[in-house]
Amino acid sequence: MDKIIECVPNFSEGKDKQTIEAIADAIAATPGCRLLDVDSGKSTNRTVYTFVADSDCVVEGALAAARVAREKIDMRRHHGEHPRMGALDVCPFIPVAGVTMDECVEISKRFGKRLADEFGVPVYLYEASATLQYRRKLPQIRKGQYEIIPKRIVQEKWKPDFGPARFVPEWGATVTGARFFFIAYNVNLLGTPNQAHRIALNLREAGRGPEQPGRLKEVKGMGWYVDDYNLAQVTVNLSNYLVTPPHILFEAVKEEAARLNVAVAGSEIVGVVPLRAILQAAEYYIEKEGLFILDEDQKVRLAVERLGLNSVAPFDPKTKIIEYIVATAPNEPLAGMSVRAFIEEVAGRSIAPGGGSVSAVIAALGAGLDAMVGKLTLGVRRFDAVDADMRALIPPLHEAAHALIPLIDADTDAFADYVAALGLPEHTDEENRFKKAQLQQGLKKAIEVPLSIMTLGDKVWDAMMGVTQYGNIASRSDLEVGARALEVGIWGAYRTVVNNMGEINDPEYRKKIMEKADAIRVRAVENCQKILDILEKRPV
């Protein structure tokens, strides 16, 4: 799933098990949708569903759930402790990965219009999707709840964004929009609920009132005591983790707790969390403590340990981090092969994989060899003097080696698009024009992938030069092979660009691409020779 959007529809039903399960089944049965959580409350008479999907499927999942609610929920008989105004009370769309807030705004509008058109119900937009500032926040729209709708909806200022400006008794009204991901986060204290609440008041954005705002933006919170855990908690909702992420809240609680002589005993994330929030915490502690960690799984482990996320319940990244929950194996049939199988595939009776894919492999090996030498130098006592240098030089080499791997398959896929265009019909003028356009598009893709190989390789010459100067000279041959491999990988990708450029009929495109490719190719020759010269002069 390249684009991950979270949808959290809240339905005004928390008692009828059959209805609750029917809505869950409708979401789960929608192609492309992954139901993550169903949270029902009898006293609130409300159920919150959490599911993820891509931009094409998420609206279908929300509509499927709404269809069940339209049939089974009647707001005329609804009572509960939680504020509400509709059968489907609120339906936010939240960007998680590979998608922007603006895209989610458009998705929410598409959903709102379809919901209104299909069911004939009023729909309001809120948060990032709001059209009017005075009804941007959910409490503003929901003030007076379901019971006030008949009086408000006929007022011009409360005309819905979609659907009829009239009361639909069995449904009420629905609010939808795009918002940031809320992280429900609790920090544990070996103290009293009063102490926890004092800390929460000092930190939450609202503070103790307009005259005493709190320290942290986009934080709502309070303090309480959890009998099951036998400890107090500062319990918060982080409304925008890009403004205040969990680790900043955690460190702020530690500061406030120290002033009260109260011990902090880890924390917990309620529900699921985006990977980005966890990696932000890891990068914070890496910088704070002067650590050197490159692997993602180790970064996740560091964040879990520093935040004490295992303190009251196990934190399993596979079931708590959204991207890991929905992860599928990458579609990389070539990169996933054994070395033997890849070589045999290249040597087979087929035009693909060809020079572009092989060039990506060679360039990746070149960057990887120098990353290896840097890692073998780092931490060795006799190279302590260059420890800081290695910490700066290794990451770009490590990252380039990994970034080049997907391009092995991307180059073959790009060529396949061009071959597919060759088979298009050309019996009419319109078919002929379409085929020519598709061929040009396929050629440009077959040019831009090897150009990406060249660009990635070009970025690591400085790091490779540094490892050559300061790295363990016992690995001299590895450094030589690495430099040559990177140069050959860039040269091979360059030849692929040149070969595919022959049939491009856009002179401005040709000029722009070839100027960039020629410059990278020249730098590759020059930098490779510089590295070999440095190694020639370094004493063994």
Side-chain angles (χ1 to χ4, degrees):
M1 195 181 292
D2 294 330
K3 294 187 175 184
I4 302 176
I5 298 154
E6 183 187 49
C7 184
V8 190
N10 290 224
F11 289 91
S12 296
E13 177 57 71
K15 300 176 181 179
D16 187 336
K17 184 178 179 182
Q18 184 180 22
T19 298
I20 294 167
E21 291 180 351
I23 293 173
D25 291 343
I27 296 170
T30 304
C33 293
R34 178 80 174 269
L35 183 63
L36 302 182
D37 188 55
V38 179
D39 185 7
S40 299
K42 290 185 178 180
S43 62
T44 58
N45 201 8
R46 188 179 186 84
T47 301
V48 179
Y49 300 82
T50 302
F51 72 95
V52 292
D54 62 23
S55 52
D56 294 324
C57 301
V58 70
V59 170
E60 300 304 327
L63 286 170
R67 290 186 188 103
V68 177
R70 190 72 168 102
E71 177 186 344
K72 294 182 176 292
I73 298 177
D74 188 340
M75 289 300 294
R76 291 170 293 193
R77 298 195 294 269
H78 182 274
H79 299 282
E81 295 176 6
H82 199 287
R84 81 284 183 266
M85 64 185 292
L88 170 50
D89 191 53
V90 59
C91 186
F93 295 88
I94 302 139
V96 176
V99 64
T100 66
M101 182 63 73
D102 286 343
E103 288 177 274
C104 283
V105 167
E106 292 307 311
I107 289 166
S108 70
K109 290 179 178 178
R110 190 164 79 241
F111 167 74
K113 187 176 188 310
R114 288 185 61 185
L115 182 73
D117 290 348
E118 182 173 339
F119 300 146
V121 298
V123 178
Y124 292 91
L125 295 171
Y126 84 129
E127 289 290 345
S129 305
T131 55
L132 296 165
Q133 191 61 33
Y134 66 85
R135 58 191 208 190
R136 184 178 183 85
K137 296 297 181 183
L138 184 58
Q140 294 172 318
I141 302 172
R142 202 161 56 188
K143 185 178 181 180
Q145 301 189 55
Y146 168 81
E147 287 75 15
I148 203 69
I149 294 175
K151 294 181 180 180
R152 293 184 89 192
I153 201 166
V154 295
Q155 301 174 28
E156 183 62 29
K157 66 182 294 186
W158 289 105
K159 181 181 178 181
D161 292 283
F162 303 107
R166 62 177 174 82
F167 184 44
V168 181
E170 69 276 15
W171 183 267
T174 294
V175 183
T176 188
R179 64 164 172 79
F180 279 101
F181 193 101
F182 285 5
I183 297 178
Y185 184 54
N186 302 328
V187 181
N188 308 320
L189 300 176
L190 302 181
T192 69
N194 286 335
Q195 290 170 323
H197 195 58
R198 284 176 64 183
I199 293 172
L201 292 175
N202 290 343
L203 297 181
R204 69 185 188 184
E205 184 171 4
R208 299 169 187 272
E211 303 301 319
Q212 291 182 281
R215 290 172 53 185
L216 302 176
K217 299 293 185 183
E218 302 290 348
V219 176
K220 300 174 183 177
M222 57 180 286
W224 62 15
Y225 200 85
V226 183
D227 291 330
D228 289 346
Y229 299 158
N230 192 28
L231 47 74
Q233 286 186 328
V234 176
T235 179
V236 302
N237 275 334
L238 303 176
S239 303
N240 184 345
Y241 72 90
L242 300 180
V243 175
T244 300
H247 66 273
I248 295 299
L249 188 282
F250 183 73
E251 291 298 318
V253 171
K254 285 170 62 177
E255 292 173 9
E256 296 287 339
R259 295 189 183 103
L260 299 177
N261 296 320
V262 172
V264 174
S267 63
E268 69 169 337
I269 289 173
V270 181
V272 294
V273 63
L275 175 62
R276 184 175 180 181
I278 297 296
L279 294 181
Q280 281 179 323
E283 295 299 342
Y284 171 83
Y285 290 110
I286 287 170
E287 181 177 357
K288 181 180 180 181
E289 301 173 27
L291 306 175
F292 186 77
I293 300 173
L294 294 175
D295 293 334
E296 183 175 288
D297 61 334
Q298 291 190 352
K299 289 181 179 181
V300 170
R301 182 172 296 186
L302 175 69
V304 170
E305 290 300 319
R306 292 296 183 269
L307 297 175
L309 293 177
N310 285 315
S311 58
V312 293
F315 182 94
D316 181 358
K318 292 180 181 178
T319 60
K320 296 291 286 185
I321 296 175
I322 290 180
E323 288 86 343
Y324 293 172
I325 296 171
V326 302
T328 56
N331 184 25
E332 296 176 350
L334 295 176
M337 288 181 172
S338 67
V339 175
R340 175 184 294 276
F342 179 76
I343 294 171
E344 290 174 348
E345 186 72 18
V346 171
R349 291 175 61 87
S350 173
I351 56 176
S357 293
V358 171
S359 296
V361 172
I362 296 171
L365 291 171
L369 273 170
D370 274 56
M372 176 195 77
V373 175
K375 292 171 186 178
L376 291 175
T377 304
L378 183 71
V380 177
R381 179 177 294 180
R382 66 190 181 98
F383 294 115
D384 278 350
V386 297
D387 185 86
D389 296 291
M390 289 301 112
R391 288 172 180 244
L393 295 169
I394 294 168
L397 292 162
H398 175 91
E399 290 162 11
H402 285 267
L404 284 160
I405 293 171
L407 297 182
I408 300 168
D409 285 275
D411 185 81
T412 296
D413 292 342
F415 185 72
D417 287 352
Y418 174 72
V419 172
L422 287 172
L424 291 172
E426 46 186 336
H427 304 303
T428 66
D429 289 343
E430 185 177 349
E431 287 179 345
N432 191 40
R433 283 193 298 271
F434 180 74
K435 180 174 182 176
K436 286 180 178 179
Q438 292 299 109
L439 285 170
Q440 288 295 302
Q441 185 176 323
L443 280 171
K444 287 182 178 180
K445 187 175 178 182
I447 286 167
E448 286 160 14
V449 172
L451 185 64
S452 296
I453 296 170
M454 296 181 69
T455 302
L456 283 170
D458 188 51
K459 289 179 179 178
V460 301
W461 283 117
D462 287 345
M464 190 172 276
M465 204 86 65
V467 174
T468 300
Q469 290 174 321
Y470 306 119
N472 190 341
I473 195 60
S475 298
R476 173 175 175 167
S477 63
D478 297 312
L479 293 167
E480 290 171 330
V481 173
R484 281 293 191 196
L486 183 60
E487 183 201 6
V488 169
I490 290 174
W491 179 86
Y494 174 81
R495 293 309 309 167
T496 303
V497 169
V498 171
N499 185 61
N500 292 330
M501 191 65 75
E503 296 180 44
I504 290 291
N505 54 24
D506 181 347
E508 291 186 8
Y509 178 85
R510 290 168 62 98
K511 183 175 183 293
K512 182 180 74 172
I513 297 297
M514 288 312 303
E515 283 179 354
K516 182 176 181 179
D518 286 337
I520 294 174
R521 175 71 193 110
V522 169
R523 283 197 294 272
V525 174
E526 293 173 349
N527 287 321
C528 180
Q529 191 57 53
K530 286 179 183 178
I531 287 171
L532 297 178
D533 291 344
I534 291 170
L535 289 169
E536 189 66 31
K537 295 173 184 176
R538 278 193 69 183
V540 178

